[in-house]
Amino acid sequence: MDVIRHPGDATKGPEDRFHGDVWLWPRIGATANAEVRNVLFTPGARSAWHRHPAGQVLHVTEGVGLLGFRSGEVQEIRAGDTVVCHPGEEHWHGAGPGTFMTHIAVTDGPTEWKEHVTQTEYQA
């Protein structure tokens, strides 16, 4: 068993994976196959399109966000909501246009990053 007292400082999310200011806390925890991370999105910030071959769970802890699917559907997510992204399902997530959003992301396996979400896709 490992006890991690202070995993380190937050870092800005890389521009090839995020639009706007997104802050990633170092991994809260990880096993050979899963990673747990706290992510803060500033207003209007969002991830690029991506997928997780083995799936992902998001738990919104603060604010209001948006979750988009390749079908064009965009759903609002709020503090207390939990999202299960099914294996291989392409999606994006981020903050609403006027609010911050923080979530805990539990990712099973690697993430496959795609292109950035357009403003039209975000505003759908």
Side-chain angles (χ1 to χ4, degrees):
M1 183 179 309
D2 295 323
V3 176
I4 302 167
R5 303 270 181 223
H6 184 324
D9 295 328
T11 58
K12 190 164 184 219
E15 291 181 8
D16 62 332
R17 296 179 181 179
F18 298 99
H19 169 84
D21 289 333
V22 177
W23 291 90
L24 310 169
W25 277 262
R27 292 186 301 184
I28 295 169
T31 65
N33 297 312
E35 175 181 271
V36 180
R37 189 180 290 269
N38 206 1
V39 184
L40 168 71
F41 294 86
T42 60
R46 57 199 178 260
S47 71
W49 284 103
H50 61 285
R51 66 192 280 293
H52 308 277
Q56 180 184 51
V57 175
L58 305 172
H59 180 73
V60 182
T61 57
E62 297 288 336
V64 179
L66 299 173
L67 174 69
F69 302 91
R70 281 291 186 187
S71 67
E73 177 187 4
V74 176
Q75 288 191 26
E76 184 177 273
I77 53 178
R78 295 181 161 275
D81 290 349
T82 298
V83 177
V84 177
C85 303
H86 300 288
E89 181 175 48
E90 289 191 17
H91 64 282
W92 61 267
H93 36 94
T99 182
F100 289 83
M101 190 269 291
T102 303
H103 67 51
I104 296 171
V106 181
T107 304
D108 188 2
T111 301
E112 295 176 4
W113 292 97
K114 310 289 184 178
E115 75 276 10
H116 280 283
V117 173
T118 66
Q119 192 65 19
T120 301
E121 291 169 322
Y122 176 77
Q123 292 176 325

